[in-house]
Amino acid sequence: MLVIVLGSAAGGGFPQWNCACPNCRDVRRGDPALEVRTQDSLAVSADGRRWLLLNASPDVRAQIERQPVLWPARGRETPISAIALSNGDLDHCLGLFSLRESQPLSIYATHAVRAGLVDHNALWATLTRRPGQTVWHELGPEGSPVTGARGDDLGLKLTPVPAAGRLPLHLRGRREPNAFDNVALVVSERSSKALLVYAPGVAAPSAALEPWLERASAVFFDGTFSHDSELVDLGLGSQSATDMAHWPLFSPNGSLEYLASRCRGRGYLTHVNNTNPLLRAGSAERTALEAAGLGVARDGMELEL
Ligand SMILES: [Zn+2]
Ligand SMILES: [Zn+2]
């Protein structure tokens, strides 16, 4: 299984357009300890020709142009055969609207995620202008083999595993939350034992996720915040990481220790917020992470599992 990190920043990217926190300020000045990151997404393939995107970020167009394997070879034949959504947050699905141009799209999502995006959403009509333009595949708990919009088999299977999270902002107060509003996407390959876990939004430990973390060849996990009060301490907000449904790495019972003791394969943090000191090479947080045997995902990083 081939894996490319298209983006590794949380919603807003790094730097974030309206932010002058120390990280955003210094990365704009070209500080060599920091690197620019787009909003998080992975590309996965069993054969190196047809690709499954895990989330479609608002940066998807630029992400495609940086990866020659994702360029169309001829006509309008994109190697992007399918897209899976881990939740309905706009930073994970706005990119779908950049992938319209009458392109047939094969989209995998749980019932809760699909309904949250499509129901009562007039904007969605732009992706259903032609019959067959958007093919939704409902990701039930048992998982699903992945096919492209024309029915071609990618040799991959997707399984959604409920992860602690919360409703996207635009759905709050409109309906009750559901265990499948936010999932980790597990990708397995038919021809090998390779197993990828992609969990960019995790609010707390989850019993359902543990066996998958232990079996995975590689894990990409929520690294949004290092500290619970990160935004408050910088004077950039009143909400803690926990309030925003992200599990801080370094709080008591933080996610770092949890991950380090469960990942037997490679473990990387993704969906890293622009304020996170982990972004800075040589910071105490980055050093502690590396000492625990984990790393920070980087845009453009490629893995073979
Ligand atoms: Zn997000
Ligand atoms: Zn910032």
Side-chain angles (χ1 to χ4, degrees):
M1 189 191 297
L2 302 166
V3 180
I4 302 177
V5 176
L6 299 180
S8 49
F14 180 55
Q16 177 172 303
W17 70 278
N18 64 343
C19 187
C21 75
N23 280 345
C24 288
R25 195 187 56 219
D26 291 350
V27 76
R28 286 193 184 98
R29 287 185 189 144
D31 183 333
L34 297 158
E35 60 187 295
V36 168
R37 287 155 196 270
T38 58
Q39 293 165 83
D40 97 307
S41 171
L42 302 183
V44 184
S45 178
D47 59 15
R49 292 187 299 116
R50 292 162 310 167
W51 293 82
L52 163 68
L53 300 191
L54 302 184
N55 286 335
S57 93
D59 298 317
V60 70
R61 210 199 63 85
Q63 291 169 337
I64 291 167
E65 293 311 323
R66 284 202 310 227
Q67 293 296 340
V69 295
L70 299 181
W71 298 349
R74 71 186 86 76
R76 293 274 165 89
E77 289 181 33
T78 171
I80 298 172
S81 298
I83 300 144
L85 303 175
S86 67
N87 69 21
D89 286 347
L90 292 181
D91 57 311
H92 302 167
C93 61
L94 270 183
L96 292 174
F97 289 92
S98 302
L99 303 178
R100 54 196 198 285
E101 346 302 333
S102 303
Q103 177 68 43
L105 297 176
S106 177
I107 307 173
Y108 287 78
T110 65
H111 178 82
V113 170
R114 190 201 61 80
L117 285 176
V118 175
D119 294 356
H120 316 297
N121 184 352
L123 206 59
W124 195 260
T126 198
L127 291 178
T128 54
R129 284 177 298 155
R130 289 154 203 262
Q133 186 180 347
T134 309
V135 183
W136 281 97
H137 304 266
E138 187 167 315
L139 266 182
E142 69 293 340
S144 172
V146 183
T147 58
R150 294 180 182 87
D152 49 315
D153 179 2
L154 272 71
L156 298 169
K157 183 182 174 188
L158 271 167
T159 307
V161 181
R166 58 167 198 189
L167 275 173
L169 286 166
H170 54 274
L171 292 179
R172 247 160 265 169
R174 289 177 179 257
R175 70 160 166 82
E176 285 302 305
N178 173 310
F180 285 90
D181 280 320
N182 180 61
V183 294
L185 294 170
V186 174
V187 189
S188 54
E189 189 175 53
R190 197 177 310 121
S191 66
S192 79
K193 287 201 157 59
L195 190 79
L196 170 71
V197 174
Y198 173 62
V202 181
S206 141
L209 196 52
E210 279 188 30
W212 294 103
L213 293 176
E214 289 172 5
R215 281 178 53 201
S217 337
V219 174
F220 287 85
F221 199 84
D222 185 342
T224 312
F225 296 110
S226 273
H227 305 289
D228 201 29
S229 60
E230 200 170 298
L231 290 181
V232 179
D233 293 346
L234 287 163
L236 295 175
S238 56
Q239 288 196 305
S240 67
T242 316
D243 292 339
M244 297 169 79
H246 291 291
W247 186 7
L249 289 152
F250 294 94
S251 61
N253 301 315
S255 58
L256 176 65
E257 217 180 282
Y258 177 89
L259 264 185
S261 63
R262 282 164 184 82
C263 290
R264 309 226 171 100
R266 292 179 256 182
Y268 303 97
L269 298 176
T270 188
H271 199 273
V272 185
N273 199 57
N274 55 77
T275 52
N276 195 330
L278 207 63
L279 290 172
R280 193 178 290 270
S283 65
E285 288 82 355
R286 177 80 76 92
T287 307
L289 180 82
E290 287 164 356
L294 300 165
V296 185
R298 305 174 53 217
D299 291 25
M301 185 175 168
E302 301 185 17
L303 308 184
E304 191 168 348
L305 308 179

